[in-house]
Amino acid sequence: MIRFFGQPKYSTANDTLGYEFFIRQYHQGNWVFPQNFNQFSAQQIRDLAIASIKALPKNVALVSINLDQS
């Protein structure tokens, strides 16, 4: 199972609050940084991103998704 964990992100350019999402994988009772991002399909990450963004308050204007480059 994978999830996005978010941390607040503030833009001083336009005084806007948003979130930066970090993907984590549930492994042996803990949420951990995935060893291999290639194990997740683009569709899985897309669906998770859409669900996570829909759960945010409507006034959130910034969302960044932090993934491994590969």
Side-chain angles (χ1 to χ4, degrees):
M1 175 186 338
I2 58 174
R3 287 232 166 110
F4 280 120
F5 283 72
Q7 72 178 22
K9 179 179 181 174
Y10 184 76
S11 170
T12 56
N14 56 7
D15 293 325
T16 306
L17 179 63
Y19 290 91
E20 183 172 13
F21 287 165
F22 300 91
I23 199 164
R24 295 295 181 259
Q25 181 178 25
Y26 194 72
H27 180 71
Q28 298 181 347
N30 296 303
W31 291 101
V32 298
F33 184 81
Q35 296 273 334
N36 178 9
F37 280 86
N38 293 324
Q39 67 185 313
F40 312 119
S41 70
Q43 186 70 40
Q44 280 180 288
I45 294 171
R46 176 190 168 273
D47 292 347
L48 180 60
I50 290 170
S52 299
I53 291 167
K54 283 182 178 180
L56 292 174
K58 298 288 183 203
N59 64 339
V60 172
L62 299 171
V63 174
S64 298
I65 298 176
N66 193 324
L67 299 171
D68 187 69
Q69 179 121 4
S70 64

